Amino acid sequence: MSDIRDDVTEGFEQVHGYTPLGIWSAPGRVNLIGEHTDYNEGFVLPFAINRRTVVALGIRDDSRMNVASEFADEMAGIPLAELTPSRLEGWSAYPLGVAWALGEAGADLAAVPGVDLYIESTVPVGAGLSSSAAIESAVAVALDEVWQLGLDRPTLAKAGQLAENKAVGAPTGIMDQSASLLGRDDHAVFLDCRSLESELVALGFAEAGLELLIIDTGVSHDHSTGGYADRRASCEAGAAGMGVSSLRDLSVDDLPRARETLDDETFRRVRHIVTENQRVLDTVRVLRSEGPTAIGELLDASHLSMRDDFEISVPELDLAVETAQANGAIGARMTGGGFGGAAIALVPASGISRIQVAIDGAFAEHGFGQPTMFTVTASNGAQRDR
């Protein structure tokens, strides 16, 4: 972390011309299990990772907010009083959208001081590791502190989600921001997306001799377009067809009736959500009773459900998962919203190299671009660093 904190300070000074007041950071996340269940008011089990987005912030003597970053040439800015989703576009909609959302949560944007921001990140973009929530969460904790709002972490998570939904236009749930804000070393965040109640669940990967390998396929996805919104609409149609407010209200026992009631595609979308919710509950139970070496079958079953019922995988993700499974992974699945991004494999530490070599070879054999692979550990959530 020290290098990126120094870099973001230097970047801030070059762009804004003075020394920042402080440095804040927030992690990306891996979702261990529980995909597309969050906006269906279900259960998820993500954890914050040791890849972070870092924000340097300084106070202005006017009421304007300016944002700059290492990944964009232009600086964006707007008077705080003029912040509305319709005025925001591009990458700057993430940080500026958070400021607008904090206003919706009660911050008096006419009374708070203006700010300058500069952002850098080690969270890969487009890999399904929630680089967007890392930006939102880092900005949220920074603004909460300097504006003296005193908001709790669940409220900051809601502000990040509102920014993503309204300012960016991506119809995502609450999971990513919650993981980024609530994470803790060596723990997953077991989140009930209806009540927003959360519990920390010990992972114990290192103690069990395991590593979590990220396999970034390089196939980029965009949640503000296409398939993600279609899947969400299918879930809403399935809930309406079954006479419930949310698919959270259905259990595995309701699936025979759903098969009779719904068309085939909608039924398969519903079946994924219902069975995925049960897999999250089962994973939490197994982690607590038997430990991480026993969750492999649940990870594998989750991938099959996303591939066949929810239809959000792509050939590169399937190949990564199948190759990892065939070369010693305890379990593997795609992670994130789908249509690209990354897969995860829970792997004995001694077998990491063999699996990486096998995946590289399989991708080359199929004519796919070379994937990027690295391990992650469960990390603390958003915080002030300096």
Side-chain angles (χ1 to χ4, degrees), residues 32-33 295-304 331-333 344 346:
L32 186 62
I33 198 162
I295 65 171
E297 290 184 2
L298 292 162
L299 302 181
D300 294 343
S302 176
H303 184 77
L304 291 178
R333 63 185 285 273
I344 59 173
L346 189 59

Side-chain angles (χ1 to χ4, degrees), residues 257-301:
R257 180 168 68 89
R259 185 187 289 275
E260 295 177 357
T261 304
L262 305 171
D263 65 84
D264 179 66
E265 180 179 279
T266 305
F267 166 70
R268 288 185 291 110
R269 306 295 188 250
V270 168
R271 181 167 61 185
H272 166 70
I273 300 300
V274 171
T275 57
E276 188 80 345
N277 273 328
Q278 187 60 52
R279 282 187 287 271
V280 175
L281 298 175
D282 290 343
T283 301
V284 171
R285 174 181 53 78
V286 171
L287 280 170
R288 287 172 167 165
S289 62
E290 302 175 57
T293 57
I295 65 171
E297 290 184 2
L298 292 162
L299 302 181
D300 294 343

Side-chain angles (χ1 to χ4, degrees), residues 4-176:
I4 192 172
R5 288 187 304 220
D6 292 340
D7 290 346
V8 81
T9 300
E10 182 179 331
F12 183 97
E13 291 171 346
Q14 289 178 350
V15 171
H16 297 298
Y18 64 101
T19 300
L21 173 68
I23 306 290
W24 290 259
S25 72
R29 66 96 190 93
V30 160
N31 192 22
L32 186 62
I33 198 162
E35 224 65 77
H36 288 260
T37 47
D38 58 346
Y39 57 79
N40 288 290
E41 298 185 353
F43 303 102
V44 292
L45 191 66
F47 62 85
I49 62 173
N50 55 331
R51 296 279 187 122
R52 301 181 78 87
T53 293
V54 183
V55 174
L57 180 148
I59 299 290
R60 296 177 58 85
D61 58 6
D62 59 16
S63 59
R64 184 177 180 84
M65 182 171 176
N66 290 330
V67 293
S69 77
E70 63 169 343
F71 37 83
D73 293 331
E74 77 285 354
M75 181 166 67
I78 190 171
L80 289 168
E82 298 178 18
L83 274 175
T84 60
S86 63
R87 294 285 306 274
L88 308 180
E89 60 182 7
W91 78 270
S92 64
Y94 293 98
L96 293 173
V98 168
W100 165 77
L102 291 174
E104 297 295 294
D108 184 355
L109 298 184
V112 297
V115 291
D116 290 321
L117 302 182
Y118 185 80
I119 301 170
E120 295 198 10
S121 185
T122 62
V123 185
V125 175
L129 301 179
S130 205
S131 56
S132 58
I135 294 173
E136 292 153 2
S137 299
V139 171
V141 293
L143 293 178
D144 178 68
E145 182 175 335
V146 299
W147 286 348
Q148 299 180 328
L149 303 179
L151 300 174
D152 63 20
R153 293 294 173 104
T155 302
L156 294 179
K158 288 181 185 176
Q161 182 197 13
L162 184 63
E164 187 115 4
N165 292 169
K166 301 299 184 183
V168 179
T172 55
I174 194 77
M175 172 182 66
D176 297 348

Side-chain angles (χ1 to χ4, degrees), residues 146-359:
V146 299
W147 286 348
Q148 299 180 328
L149 303 179
L151 300 174
D152 63 20
R153 293 294 173 104
T155 302
L156 294 179
K158 288 181 185 176
Q161 182 197 13
L162 184 63
E164 187 115 4
N165 292 169
K166 301 299 184 183
V168 179
T172 55
I174 194 77
M175 172 182 66
D176 297 348
Q177 295 81 7
S178 297
S180 188
L181 286 156
L182 300 172
R184 187 187 297 175
D185 283 347
D186 196 35
H187 285 75
V189 179
F190 174 39
L191 178 67
D192 180 336
C193 296
R194 171 170 282 173
S195 68
L196 298 188
E197 293 177 359
S198 64
E199 298 176 50
L200 292 168
V201 178
L203 291 169
F205 291 164
E207 186 178 349
L210 301 176
E211 298 252 25
L212 194 83
L213 179 67
I214 305 295
I215 307 147
D216 181 357
T217 64
V219 180
S220 188
H221 61 189
D222 183 353
H223 287 166
S224 62
T225 60
Y228 193 103
D230 290 344
R231 296 308 183 277
R232 186 160 186 164
S234 287
C235 291
E236 292 168 355
M242 292 295 289
V244 294
S245 63
S246 165
L247 295 183
R248 160 67 176 274
D249 296 317
L250 301 180
S251 73
V252 174
D253 292 340
D254 293 306
L255 290 177
R257 180 168 68 89
R259 185 187 289 275
E260 295 177 357
T261 304
L262 305 171
D263 65 84
D264 179 66
E265 180 179 279
T266 305
F267 166 70
R268 288 185 291 110
R269 306 295 188 250
V270 168
R271 181 167 61 185
H272 166 70
I273 300 300
V274 171
T275 57
E276 188 80 345
N277 273 328
Q278 187 60 52
R279 282 187 287 271
V280 175
L281 298 175
D282 290 343
T283 301
V284 171
R285 174 181 53 78
V286 171
L287 280 170
R288 287 172 167 165
S289 62
E290 302 175 57
T293 57
I295 65 171
E297 290 184 2
L298 292 162
L299 302 181
D300 294 343
S302 176
H303 184 77
L304 291 178
S305 182
M306 290 185 286
R307 186 191 72 185
D308 299 337
D309 278 354
F310 223 59
E311 296 181 289
I312 55 173
S313 191
V314 296
E316 291 88 344
L317 287 169
D318 293 337
L319 182 63
V321 167
E322 291 160 10
T323 306
Q325 291 165 337
N327 286 274
I330 285 173
R333 63 185 285 273
M334 60 151 283
T335 189
F339 310 103
I344 59 173
L346 189 59
V347 178
S350 59
I352 288 281
S353 295
R354 180 162 67 107
I355 288 176
Q356 288 178 309
V357 169
I359 290 172

